Amino acid sequence: MSSRPQAAEEAGEPGGAGFSRITKESLSDRAYLEIRTALMRSRLRPGQKLQLRPLSAELGLSATPVREALLRLVSEQALELDERGTAVVPRLDRARLQEVRELRAELEGKSAARAAEVADPVEIARLEEVHAGIATALAGERFQRAVELNERFHLELCAMGRLPILYQFVTSLWLRCGPILSHLYDDGVMEWDPHPHVRIIEALHRRDSEAARAAMRQDIIEGGSGLLRYVDEAAPP
């Protein structure tokens, strides 16, 4: 005699396929991840206002989960609220940008050093592909694509270090600095010989932790020097 769940499955009824129930909380998480990714990949710009209704329509969600996602990002200081309660992408001043840069250099440098010890050849090859994509994007003046691939390079490398708590701190910093990286190439593409990413990859192949750490610091501090000029020029008089 068939059990009730089997009969339900044969009749096409729900209950036997292992689907997760979609809750209001999961919709809020979905909105959060979409907005968070947009911040980290410079799809949202400093000073940009995130109006609730247009954003909800763009995400294909109702206003409630989107509002919850925005407030969650405000609590993480990835967004701010203006005097009307509208979420706004913050503008970094020089002091905050310098602090973020130094913290990123320290933490991502440590992660790169650890990756040189533990990364496997498949991971290193994938990182090489990402950097090749950046070079291709820059050659075609597809700067937004290059910025997004740059974020992927850094976070994949960080994940390769097998330090999950450190990874969480790094992603928090990327939430802060991601929007401003849209101005990474305002002064043109910096000429490197070789690019710090290439030096990092070579260090990974050699298992040279200190070389990987030094190349990461060079990439963040020297490679982002134009961003300091941007925040100085964008600062209110």
Side-chain angles (χ1 to χ4, degrees), residues 170-200:
V170 169
T171 54
S172 176
L173 292 170
W174 272 83
L175 269 175
R176 304 289 189 91
C177 72
I180 201 174
L181 293 180
S182 59
H183 297 280
L184 189 60
Y185 302 111
D186 282 2
D187 294 338
V189 180
M190 185 175 290
E191 296 293 332
W192 299 98
D193 188 23
H195 194 284
H197 288 185
V198 174
R199 293 180 58 212
I200 290 168

PDB file of all heavy atoms in Angstrom, residues 170-200:
ATOM      1  N   VAL A 170      37.436  41.490   5.188  1.00  0.00           N
ATOM      2  CA  VAL A 170      37.803  42.058   3.885  1.00  0.00           C
ATOM      3  C   VAL A 170      36.558  42.428   3.087  1.00  0.00           C
ATOM      4  O   VAL A 170      36.501  43.510   2.479  1.00  0.00           O
ATOM      5  CB  VAL A 170      38.691  41.070   3.102  1.00  0.00           C
ATOM      6  CG1 VAL A 170      38.854  41.525   1.645  1.00  0.00           C
ATOM      7  CG2 VAL A 170      40.062  40.951   3.762  1.00  0.00           C
ATOM      8  N   THR A 171      35.551  41.561   3.071  1.00  0.00           N
ATOM      9  CA  THR A 171      34.342  41.894   2.321  1.00  0.00           C
ATOM     10  C   THR A 171      33.644  43.118   2.916  1.00  0.00           C
ATOM     11  O   THR A 171      33.055  43.917   2.178  1.00  0.00           O
ATOM     12  CB  THR A 171      33.360  40.703   2.291  1.00  0.00           C
ATOM     13  OG1 THR A 171      33.077  40.259   3.631  1.00  0.00           O
ATOM     14  CG2 THR A 171      33.941  39.549   1.495  1.00  0.00           C
ATOM     15  N   SER A 172      33.737  43.282   4.234  1.00  0.00           N
ATOM     16  CA  SER A 172      33.173  44.482   4.859  1.00  0.00           C
ATOM     17  C   SER A 172      33.884  45.734   4.355  1.00  0.00           C
ATOM     18  O   SER A 172      33.252  46.772   4.086  1.00  0.00           O
ATOM     19  CB  SER A 172      33.286  44.381   6.380  1.00  0.00           C
ATOM     20  OG  SER A 172      32.832  45.560   6.999  1.00  0.00           O
ATOM     21  N   LEU A 173      35.187  45.658   4.194  1.00  0.00           N
ATOM     22  CA  LEU A 173      35.946  46.802   3.670  1.00  0.00           C
ATOM     23  C   LEU A 173      35.591  47.073   2.214  1.00  0.00           C
ATOM     24  O   LEU A 173      35.519  48.233   1.790  1.00  0.00           O
ATOM     25  CB  LEU A 173      37.445  46.555   3.813  1.00  0.00           C
ATOM     26  CG  LEU A 173      37.973  46.533   5.252  1.00  0.00           C
ATOM     27  CD1 LEU A 173      39.422  46.031   5.278  1.00  0.00           C
ATOM     28  CD2 LEU A 173      37.888  47.920   5.877  1.00  0.00           C
ATOM     29  N   TRP A 174      35.361  46.015   1.442  1.00  0.00           N
ATOM     30  CA  TRP A 174      34.975  46.204   0.049  1.00  0.00           C
ATOM     31  C   TRP A 174      33.597  46.854  -0.067  1.00  0.00           C
ATOM     32  O   TRP A 174      33.325  47.576  -1.030  1.00  0.00           O
ATOM     33  CB  TRP A 174      35.014  44.874  -0.708  1.00  0.00           C
ATOM     34  CG  TRP A 174      36.374  44.599  -1.272  1.00  0.00           C
ATOM     35  CD1 TRP A 174      37.446  44.048  -0.620  1.00  0.00           C
ATOM     36  CD2 TRP A 174      36.824  44.889  -2.601  1.00  0.00           C
ATOM     37  NE1 TRP A 174      38.523  43.986  -1.463  1.00  0.00           N
ATOM     38  CE2 TRP A 174      38.177  44.480  -2.682  1.00  0.00           C
ATOM     39  CE3 TRP A 174      36.217  45.443  -3.716  1.00  0.00           C
ATOM     40  CZ2 TRP A 174      38.919  44.627  -3.848  1.00  0.00           C
ATOM     41  CZ3 TRP A 174      36.955  45.583  -4.876  1.00  0.00           C
ATOM     42  CH2 TRP A 174      38.292  45.184  -4.931  1.00  0.00           C
ATOM     43  N   LEU A 175      32.727  46.601   0.901  1.00  0.00           N
ATOM     44  CA  LEU A 175      31.443  47.295   0.907  1.00  0.00           C
ATOM     45  C   LEU A 175      31.653  48.800   1.016  1.00  0.00           C
ATOM     46  O   LEU A 175      30.902  49.591   0.449  1.00  0.00           O
ATOM     47  CB  LEU A 175      30.595  46.814   2.082  1.00  0.00           C
ATOM     48  CG  LEU A 175      29.667  45.636   1.850  1.00  0.00           C
ATOM     49  CD1 LEU A 175      28.994  45.227   3.155  1.00  0.00           C
ATOM     50  CD2 LEU A 175      28.625  45.957   0.788  1.00  0.00           C
ATOM     51  N   ARG A 176      32.669  49.195   1.783  1.00  0.00           N
ATOM     52  CA  ARG A 176      32.944  50.625   1.985  1.00  0.00           C
ATOM     53  C   ARG A 176      33.604  51.252   0.755  1.00  0.00           C
ATOM     54  O   ARG A 176      33.295  52.380   0.385  1.00  0.00           O
ATOM     55  CB  ARG A 176      33.869  50.818   3.191  1.00  0.00           C
ATOM     56  CG  ARG A 176      33.377  50.210   4.494  1.00  0.00           C
ATOM     57  CD  ARG A 176      32.189  50.965   5.064  1.00  0.00           C
ATOM     58  NE  ARG A 176      31.873  50.501   6.410  1.00  0.00           N
ATOM     59  CZ  ARG A 176      32.373  51.037   7.518  1.00  0.00           C
ATOM     60  NH1 ARG A 176      33.215  52.044   7.457  1.00  0.00           N
ATOM     61  NH2 ARG A 176      32.022  50.555   8.691  1.00  0.00           N
ATOM     62  N   CYS A 177      34.554  50.533   0.163  1.00  0.00           N
ATOM     63  CA  CYS A 177      35.355  51.155  -0.910  1.00  0.00           C
ATOM     64  C   CYS A 177      34.868  50.806  -2.311  1.00  0.00           C
ATOM     65  O   CYS A 177      35.265  51.456  -3.282  1.00  0.00           O
ATOM     66  CB  CYS A 177      36.823  50.770  -0.772  1.00  0.00           C
ATOM     67  SG  CYS A 177      37.192  49.041  -1.202  1.00  0.00           S
ATOM     68  N   GLY A 178      33.997  49.792  -2.443  1.00  0.00           N
ATOM     69  CA  GLY A 178      33.570  49.368  -3.763  1.00  0.00           C
ATOM     70  C   GLY A 178      33.037  50.483  -4.651  1.00  0.00           C
ATOM     71  O   GLY A 178      33.469  50.629  -5.799  1.00  0.00           O
ATOM     72  N   PRO A 179      32.096  51.312  -4.155  1.00  0.00           N
ATOM     73  CA  PRO A 179      31.546  52.360  -5.029  1.00  0.00           C
ATOM     74  C   PRO A 179      32.590  53.326  -5.572  1.00  0.00           C
ATOM     75  O   PRO A 179      32.493  53.769  -6.720  1.00  0.00           O
ATOM     76  CB  PRO A 179      30.554  53.074  -4.107  1.00  0.00           C
ATOM     77  CG  PRO A 179      30.130  52.027  -3.135  1.00  0.00           C
ATOM     78  CD  PRO A 179      31.367  51.223  -2.879  1.00  0.00           C
ATOM     79  N   ILE A 180      33.606  53.643  -4.785  1.00  0.00           N
ATOM     80  CA  ILE A 180      34.595  54.621  -5.242  1.00  0.00           C
ATOM     81  C   ILE A 180      35.530  54.026  -6.293  1.00  0.00           C
ATOM     82  O   ILE A 180      36.161  54.765  -7.063  1.00  0.00           O
ATOM     83  CB  ILE A 180      35.400  55.173  -4.039  1.00  0.00           C
ATOM     84  CG1 ILE A 180      36.027  56.512  -4.390  1.00  0.00           C
ATOM     85  CG2 ILE A 180      36.446  54.193  -3.565  1.00  0.00           C
ATOM     86  CD1 ILE A 180      36.707  57.184  -3.215  1.00  0.00           C
ATOM     87  N   LEU A 181      35.589  52.684  -6.369  1.00  0.00           N
ATOM     88  CA  LEU A 181      36.468  52.057  -7.349  1.00  0.00           C
ATOM     89  C   LEU A 181      35.983  52.270  -8.777  1.00  0.00           C
ATOM     90  O   LEU A 181      36.704  51.962  -9.726  1.00  0.00           O
ATOM     91  CB  LEU A 181      36.612  50.564  -7.048  1.00  0.00           C
ATOM     92  CG  LEU A 181      37.345  50.228  -5.748  1.00  0.00           C
ATOM     93  CD1 LEU A 181      37.434  48.719  -5.562  1.00  0.00           C
ATOM     94  CD2 LEU A 181      38.737  50.836  -5.730  1.00  0.00           C
ATOM     95  N   SER A 182      34.781  52.810  -8.930  1.00  0.00           N
ATOM     96  CA  SER A 182      34.338  53.200 -10.271  1.00  0.00           C
ATOM     97  C   SER A 182      35.245  54.292 -10.839  1.00  0.00           C
ATOM     98  O   SER A 182      35.249  54.528 -12.052  1.00  0.00           O
ATOM     99  CB  SER A 182      32.889  53.689 -10.237  1.00  0.00           C
ATOM    100  OG  SER A 182      32.754  54.807  -9.367  1.00  0.00           O
ATOM    101  N   HIS A 183      35.999  54.953  -9.971  1.00  0.00           N
ATOM    102  CA  HIS A 183      36.928  56.006 -10.415  1.00  0.00           C
ATOM    103  C   HIS A 183      38.373  55.510 -10.485  1.00  0.00           C
ATOM    104  O   HIS A 183      39.300  56.311 -10.600  1.00  0.00           O
ATOM    105  CB  HIS A 183      36.840  57.201  -9.464  1.00  0.00           C
ATOM    106  CG  HIS A 183      35.500  57.856  -9.452  1.00  0.00           C
ATOM    107  ND1 HIS A 183      35.090  58.749 -10.415  1.00  0.00           N
ATOM    108  CD2 HIS A 183      34.438  57.716  -8.598  1.00  0.00           C
ATOM    109  CE1 HIS A 183      33.857  59.147 -10.155  1.00  0.00           C
ATOM    110  NE2 HIS A 183      33.441  58.535  -9.059  1.00  0.00           N
ATOM    111  N   LEU A 184      38.545  54.194 -10.433  1.00  0.00           N
ATOM    112  CA  LEU A 184      39.893  53.633 -10.415  1.00  0.00           C
ATOM    113  C   LEU A 184      40.703  54.007 -11.647  1.00  0.00           C
ATOM    114  O   LEU A 184      41.925  54.180 -11.574  1.00  0.00           O
ATOM    115  CB  LEU A 184      39.801  52.107 -10.291  1.00  0.00           C
ATOM    116  CG  LEU A 184      41.089  51.331 -10.046  1.00  0.00           C
ATOM    117  CD1 LEU A 184      41.749  51.762  -8.740  1.00  0.00           C
ATOM    118  CD2 LEU A 184      40.813  49.836 -10.035  1.00  0.00           C
ATOM    119  N   TYR A 185      40.029  54.145 -12.782  1.00  0.00           N
ATOM    120  CA  TYR A 185      40.736  54.408 -14.037  1.00  0.00           C
ATOM    121  C   TYR A 185      40.495  55.826 -14.554  1.00  0.00           C
ATOM    122  O   TYR A 185      40.647  56.090 -15.744  1.00  0.00           O
ATOM    123  CB  TYR A 185      40.327  53.374 -15.090  1.00  0.00           C
ATOM    124  CG  TYR A 185      40.602  51.955 -14.655  1.00  0.00           C
ATOM    125  CD1 TYR A 185      39.554  51.078 -14.361  1.00  0.00           C
ATOM    126  CD2 TYR A 185      41.910  51.491 -14.507  1.00  0.00           C
ATOM    127  CE1 TYR A 185      39.798  49.780 -13.942  1.00  0.00           C
ATOM    128  CE2 TYR A 185      42.168  50.182 -14.094  1.00  0.00           C
ATOM    129  CZ  TYR A 185      41.104  49.346 -13.807  1.00  0.00           C
ATOM    130  OH  TYR A 185      41.367  48.057 -13.397  1.00  0.00           O
ATOM    131  N   ASP A 186      40.120  56.745 -13.665  1.00  0.00           N
ATOM    132  CA  ASP A 186      39.892  58.137 -14.074  1.00  0.00           C
ATOM    133  C   ASP A 186      41.130  58.754 -14.707  1.00  0.00           C
ATOM    134  O   ASP A 186      41.034  59.580 -15.627  1.00  0.00           O
ATOM    135  CB  ASP A 186      39.463  58.987 -12.874  1.00  0.00           C
ATOM    136  CG  ASP A 186      38.003  58.774 -12.504  1.00  0.00           C
ATOM    137  OD1 ASP A 186      37.346  57.940 -13.159  1.00  0.00           O
ATOM    138  OD2 ASP A 186      37.524  59.425 -11.558  1.00  0.00           O
ATOM    139  N   ASP A 187      42.305  58.387 -14.197  1.00  0.00           N
ATOM    140  CA  ASP A 187      43.561  58.940 -14.712  1.00  0.00           C
ATOM    141  C   ASP A 187      44.183  58.062 -15.794  1.00  0.00           C
ATOM    142  O   ASP A 187      45.358  58.230 -16.142  1.00  0.00           O
ATOM    143  CB  ASP A 187      44.574  59.113 -13.571  1.00  0.00           C
ATOM    144  CG  ASP A 187      44.124  60.158 -12.561  1.00  0.00           C
ATOM    145  OD1 ASP A 187      43.305  61.019 -12.927  1.00  0.00           O
ATOM    146  OD2 ASP A 187      44.594  60.102 -11.409  1.00  0.00           O
ATOM    147  N   GLY A 188      43.399  57.129 -16.330  1.00  0.00           N
ATOM    148  CA  GLY A 188      43.932  56.204 -17.316  1.00  0.00           C
ATOM    149  C   GLY A 188      44.433  54.933 -16.650  1.00  0.00           C
ATOM    150  O   GLY A 188      44.386  54.772 -15.435  1.00  0.00           O
ATOM    151  N   VAL A 189      44.921  54.026 -17.460  1.00  0.00           N
ATOM    152  CA  VAL A 189      45.407  52.738 -16.967  1.00  0.00           C
ATOM    153  C   VAL A 189      46.882  52.870 -16.610  1.00  0.00           C
ATOM    154  O   VAL A 189      47.702  53.278 -17.426  1.00  0.00           O
ATOM    155  CB  VAL A 189      45.216  51.641 -18.031  1.00  0.00           C
ATOM    156  CG1 VAL A 189      45.732  50.300 -17.511  1.00  0.00           C
ATOM    157  CG2 VAL A 189      43.743  51.529 -18.413  1.00  0.00           C
ATOM    158  N   MET A 190      47.206  52.553 -15.363  1.00  0.00           N
ATOM    159  CA  MET A 190      48.591  52.654 -14.907  1.00  0.00           C
ATOM    160  C   MET A 190      49.465  51.631 -15.622  1.00  0.00           C
ATOM    161  O   MET A 190      49.055  50.485 -15.841  1.00  0.00           O
ATOM    162  CB  MET A 190      48.660  52.440 -13.388  1.00  0.00           C
ATOM    163  CG  MET A 190      50.037  52.638 -12.789  1.00  0.00           C
ATOM    164  SD  MET A 190      50.027  52.510 -10.974  1.00  0.00           S
ATOM    165  CE  MET A 190      49.147  54.023 -10.541  1.00  0.00           C
ATOM    166  N   GLU A 191      50.669  52.058 -15.999  1.00  0.00           N
ATOM    167  CA  GLU A 191      51.627  51.158 -16.647  1.00  0.00           C
ATOM    168  C   GLU A 191      52.437  50.439 -15.579  1.00  0.00           C
ATOM    169  O   GLU A 191      53.113  51.057 -14.766  1.00  0.00           O
ATOM    170  CB  GLU A 191      52.556  51.949 -17.575  1.00  0.00           C
ATOM    171  CG  GLU A 191      51.850  52.618 -18.751  1.00  0.00           C
ATOM    172  CD  GLU A 191      51.298  51.605 -19.743  1.00  0.00           C
ATOM    173  OE1 GLU A 191      51.870  50.496 -19.841  1.00  0.00           O
ATOM    174  OE2 GLU A 191      50.286  51.919 -20.398  1.00  0.00           O
ATOM    175  N   TRP A 192      52.343  49.111 -15.571  1.00  0.00           N
ATOM    176  CA  TRP A 192      53.093  48.292 -14.626  1.00  0.00           C
ATOM    177  C   TRP A 192      54.058  47.381 -15.392  1.00  0.00           C
ATOM    178  O   TRP A 192      53.752  46.955 -16.499  1.00  0.00           O
ATOM    179  CB  TRP A 192      52.159  47.394 -13.820  1.00  0.00           C
ATOM    180  CG  TRP A 192      51.145  48.073 -12.969  1.00  0.00           C
ATOM    181  CD1 TRP A 192      49.836  48.296 -13.268  1.00  0.00           C
ATOM    182  CD2 TRP A 192      51.337  48.591 -11.645  1.00  0.00           C
ATOM    183  NE1 TRP A 192      49.204  48.913 -12.219  1.00  0.00           N
ATOM    184  CE2 TRP A 192      50.090  49.099 -11.206  1.00  0.00           C
ATOM    185  CE3 TRP A 192      52.431  48.661 -10.785  1.00  0.00           C
ATOM    186  CZ2 TRP A 192      49.910  49.674  -9.958  1.00  0.00           C
ATOM    187  CZ3 TRP A 192      52.261  49.227  -9.539  1.00  0.00           C
ATOM    188  CH2 TRP A 192      51.016  49.730  -9.135  1.00  0.00           C
ATOM    189  N   ASP A 193      55.165  47.043 -14.771  1.00  0.00           N
ATOM    190  CA  ASP A 193      56.103  46.098 -15.393  1.00  0.00           C
ATOM    191  C   ASP A 193      56.777  45.252 -14.316  1.00  0.00           C
ATOM    192  O   ASP A 193      57.861  45.610 -13.841  1.00  0.00           O
ATOM    193  CB  ASP A 193      57.156  46.846 -16.217  1.00  0.00           C
ATOM    194  CG  ASP A 193      58.028  45.884 -17.024  1.00  0.00           C
ATOM    195  OD1 ASP A 193      57.563  44.753 -17.291  1.00  0.00           O
ATOM    196  OD2 ASP A 193      59.165  46.259 -17.348  1.00  0.00           O
ATOM    197  N   PRO A 194      56.175  44.121 -13.952  1.00  0.00           N
ATOM    198  CA  PRO A 194      54.853  43.633 -14.375  1.00  0.00           C
ATOM    199  C   PRO A 194      53.762  44.149 -13.446  1.00  0.00           C
ATOM    200  O   PRO A 194      54.048  44.780 -12.427  1.00  0.00           O
ATOM    201  CB  PRO A 194      55.008  42.120 -14.232  1.00  0.00           C
ATOM    202  CG  PRO A 194      55.919  41.972 -13.052  1.00  0.00           C
ATOM    203  CD  PRO A 194      56.890  43.125 -13.134  1.00  0.00           C
ATOM    204  N   HIS A 195      52.520  43.846 -13.794  1.00  0.00           N
ATOM    205  CA  HIS A 195      51.380  44.216 -12.958  1.00  0.00           C
ATOM    206  C   HIS A 195      51.476  43.487 -11.615  1.00  0.00           C
ATOM    207  O   HIS A 195      51.921  42.331 -11.559  1.00  0.00           O
ATOM    208  CB  HIS A 195      50.076  43.820 -13.660  1.00  0.00           C
ATOM    209  CG  HIS A 195      48.854  44.448 -13.064  1.00  0.00           C
ATOM    210  ND1 HIS A 195      48.301  44.005 -11.871  1.00  0.00           N
ATOM    211  CD2 HIS A 195      48.063  45.479 -13.493  1.00  0.00           C
ATOM    212  CE1 HIS A 195      47.241  44.725 -11.590  1.00  0.00           C
ATOM    213  NE2 HIS A 195      47.058  45.627 -12.554  1.00  0.00           N
ATOM    214  N   PRO A 196      51.080  44.137 -10.512  1.00  0.00           N
ATOM    215  CA  PRO A 196      51.113  43.450  -9.216  1.00  0.00           C
ATOM    216  C   PRO A 196      50.335  42.139  -9.198  1.00  0.00           C
ATOM    217  O   PRO A 196      50.718  41.202  -8.492  1.00  0.00           O
ATOM    218  CB  PRO A 196      50.496  44.479  -8.261  1.00  0.00           C
ATOM    219  CG  PRO A 196      50.789  45.796  -8.878  1.00  0.00           C
ATOM    220  CD  PRO A 196      50.710  45.564 -10.352  1.00  0.00           C
ATOM    221  N   HIS A 197      49.259  42.053  -9.961  1.00  0.00           N
ATOM    222  CA  HIS A 197      48.525  40.784 -10.023  1.00  0.00           C
ATOM    223  C   HIS A 197      49.415  39.680 -10.572  1.00  0.00           C
ATOM    224  O   HIS A 197      49.361  38.530 -10.102  1.00  0.00           O
ATOM    225  CB  HIS A 197      47.280  40.911 -10.902  1.00  0.00           C
ATOM    226  CG  HIS A 197      46.184  41.715 -10.298  1.00  0.00           C
ATOM    227  ND1 HIS A 197      44.941  41.860 -10.907  1.00  0.00           N
ATOM    228  CD2 HIS A 197      46.116  42.423  -9.142  1.00  0.00           C
ATOM    229  CE1 HIS A 197      44.176  42.628 -10.145  1.00  0.00           C
ATOM    230  NE2 HIS A 197      44.863  42.979  -9.076  1.00  0.00           N
ATOM    231  N   VAL A 198      50.212  40.014 -11.574  1.00  0.00           N
ATOM    232  CA  VAL A 198      51.135  39.027 -12.147  1.00  0.00           C
ATOM    233  C   VAL A 198      52.178  38.627 -11.113  1.00  0.00           C
ATOM    234  O   VAL A 198      52.524  37.445 -10.970  1.00  0.00           O
ATOM    235  CB  VAL A 198      51.808  39.590 -13.412  1.00  0.00           C
ATOM    236  CG1 VAL A 198      52.873  38.624 -13.935  1.00  0.00           C
ATOM    237  CG2 VAL A 198      50.762  39.867 -14.492  1.00  0.00           C
ATOM    238  N   ARG A 199      52.670  39.601 -10.364  1.00  0.00           N
ATOM    239  CA  ARG A 199      53.637  39.303  -9.308  1.00  0.00           C
ATOM    240  C   ARG A 199      53.024  38.409  -8.239  1.00  0.00           C
ATOM    241  O   ARG A 199      53.688  37.516  -7.695  1.00  0.00           O
ATOM    242  CB  ARG A 199      54.154  40.596  -8.689  1.00  0.00           C
ATOM    243  CG  ARG A 199      54.999  41.463  -9.621  1.00  0.00           C
ATOM    244  CD  ARG A 199      55.467  42.725  -8.926  1.00  0.00           C
ATOM    245  NE  ARG A 199      56.234  42.386  -7.719  1.00  0.00           N
ATOM    246  CZ  ARG A 199      56.263  43.144  -6.620  1.00  0.00           C
ATOM    247  NH1 ARG A 199      55.559  44.273  -6.581  1.00  0.00           N
ATOM    248  NH2 ARG A 199      56.984  42.785  -5.584  1.00  0.00           N
ATOM    249  N   ILE A 200      51.755  38.642  -7.911  1.00  0.00           N
ATOM    250  CA  ILE A 200      51.067  37.799  -6.934  1.00  0.00           C
ATOM    251  C   ILE A 200      50.969  36.368  -7.447  1.00  0.00           C
ATOM    252  O   ILE A 200      51.282  35.404  -6.730  1.00  0.00           O
ATOM    253  CB  ILE A 200      49.664  38.357  -6.635  1.00  0.00           C
ATOM    254  CG1 ILE A 200      49.766  39.669  -5.844  1.00  0.00           C
ATOM    255  CG2 ILE A 200      48.829  37.333  -5.860  1.00  0.00           C
ATOM    256  CD1 ILE A 200      48.458  40.434  -5.752  1.00  0.00           C
TER     257      ILE A 200
END
